[in-house]
Amino acid sequence: MMVVEKYPANLKPLNKLVLCSNTFLGDGKVLVIKNYAPIVIGDGIVPSIWITVKVNNEIIPVVTNNKSSNPNVKVDIYEQLREVKIFGDGTLLIHAKMTAEKECVVNELDFRPLGLNIHGDCNVLNLASNKLTNNIFGNNDIHIVLDN
Amino acid sequence: MSNINNERIDETVFVNGDPYVNPTIQILQTIYNLEKYDFDKLINGKSYLNQAADLLYGICAGLFINMVVKFFGSKVDKDIIFDKWEVYAFFLSLALLIIILFFDHFIPSKKKQVIKKIKSHFNI
């Protein structure tokens, strides 16, 4: 059993997340790096986003439930469009949109400014040097583990 | 490196690779806003017991040096008299220090409160 630290306790899980062309079903953890989840998306009027990074072996929350704790990271919420855009120093880090109840799609993702080699668009999800396209991940506790 | 395309996956997928690149954004821990009141408590917020302990450290050190020097001195120079009470004095002050430190550990002080607050902020 993997231990995922600082995973949001008050997360309202999604039923379906389409992350850069890959579909994740169920309420499992989409991506885990060793012992933390860099990106967590939950249900809400707009997608509830948590972004976590690890610096010097310390797990640091950057965005907690759409609230930035870093002065360089800004969270823009568009309630009517049911969208969230998060910018780091002006660069788009993630653009997430609710498409239905408990369903969310992410077509723009770039965590490289945060020091994580995770990025993608509507066609491909890049995790380090791995490319994931059009996969369907069934109900699972943890979908992807990235480790070197 | 692996490419995974058009698959239906029902178990955890392990992908290899270095997840880290050089960040362009400075990742900071949330800054702790130290107020003047808290700062003052850090400097001056010691409990009386803690202040007494500080004094006793000095006394203990003084008595210890006195005891050691007199003990060896009496071996060399017959004029120096080494008394038993000097040993008692040292151990008495040491015992007192330990007792005070023990109670100080359990008694709250403003300084401890501030340190606790800062520690919890940084998850230490």
Side-chain angles (χ1 to χ4, degrees):
Chain A
M1 185 68 201
M2 291 189 71
V3 179
V4 181
E5 290 173 37
K6 299 194 180 175
Y7 197 79
N10 54 343
L11 176 75
K12 288 187 216 154
L14 295 164
N15 285 341
K16 182 182 167 188
L17 169 67
V18 180
L19 180 66
C20 302
S21 82
N22 297 279
T23 304
F24 297 89
L25 302 171
D27 58 359
K29 300 172 180 74
V30 171
L31 177 64
V32 171
I33 301 176
K34 262 192 184 142
N35 59 347
Y36 73 102
I39 173 83
V40 177
I41 302 177
D43 186 33
I45 295 168
V46 297
S48 309
I49 299 178
W50 280 259
I51 297 175
T52 309
V53 298
K54 198 179 205 177
V55 178
N56 299 329
N57 232 4
E58 190 176 357
I59 298 168
I60 299 168
V62 176
V63 175
T64 307
N65 199 0
N66 292 346
K67 290 200 176 54
S68 170
S69 46
N70 186 312
N72 301 318
V73 175
K74 297 266 176 293
V75 181
D76 286 353
I77 293 171
Y78 308 91
E79 277 202 13
Q80 274 161 358
L81 296 167
R82 304 196 70 183
E83 287 182 7
V84 175
K85 286 181 182 176
I86 299 177
F87 294 90
D89 257 352
T91 311
L92 184 65
L93 301 176
I94 185 169
H95 175 195
K97 181 178 171 64
M98 298 302 293
T99 47
E101 283 311 302
K102 297 195 169 206
E103 290 186 20
C104 174
V105 62
V106 176
N107 281 334
E108 286 166 282
L109 181 72
D110 191 354
F111 278 12
R112 286 171 294 188
L114 297 170
L116 284 170
N117 199 357
I118 297 167
H119 59 107
D121 52 31
C122 57
N123 298 316
V124 59
L125 173 63
N126 296 283
L127 301 175
S129 52
N130 309 280
K131 292 179 190 299
L132 285 82
T133 304
N134 284 327
N135 302 291
I136 297 171
F137 292 81
N139 210 342
N140 212 336
D141 182 40
I142 297 172
H143 293 296
I144 303 173
V145 175
L146 174 60
D147 204 347
N148 46 358
Chain B
M1 178 183 149
S2 59
N3 293 330
I4 306 170
N5 301 322
N6 305 313
E7 288 203 41
R8 162 88 201 191
I9 297 158
D10 284 306
E11 54 193 23
T12 304
V13 178
F14 291 85
V15 291
N16 294 316
D18 184 3
Y20 298 105
V21 290
N22 281 333
T24 54
I25 298 172
Q26 194 182 14
I27 306 296
L28 302 166
Q29 275 242 281
T30 328
I31 293 158
Y32 180 81
N33 287 315
L34 181 66
E35 288 167 27
K36 199 179 171 191
Y37 172 84
D38 284 353
F39 177 69
D40 184 58
K41 290 298 164 257
L42 277 181
I43 304 296
N44 301 316
K46 279 185 175 183
S47 65
Y48 289 116
L49 277 181
N50 205 292
Q51 288 175 26
D54 281 353
L55 189 66
L56 273 167
Y57 278 122
I59 293 172
C60 268
L63 286 173
F64 181 73
I65 292 168
N66 173 69
M67 181 179 76
V68 170
V69 169
K70 272 201 166 174
F71 178 74
F72 287 107
S74 66
K75 302 276 177 203
V76 181
D77 186 345
K78 292 284 176 230
D79 289 341
I80 297 172
I81 301 152
F82 178 69
D83 274 335
K84 277 181 182 170
W85 69 264
E86 284 163 293
V87 182
Y88 300 151
F90 168 69
F91 281 107
L92 182 70
S93 60
L94 191 68
L96 216 56
L97 176 64
I98 290 167
I99 290 166
I100 284 180
L101 284 177
F102 176 78
F103 283 106
D104 179 58
H105 185 73
F106 295 104
I107 289 173
S109 74
K110 292 272 199 268
K111 182 177 175 170
K112 280 185 194 168
Q113 281 172 10
V114 175
I115 289 174
K116 201 177 162 190
K117 218 160 76 177
I118 296 173
K119 275 188 172 174
S120 77
H121 176 87
F122 288 116
N123 292 317
I124 299 169

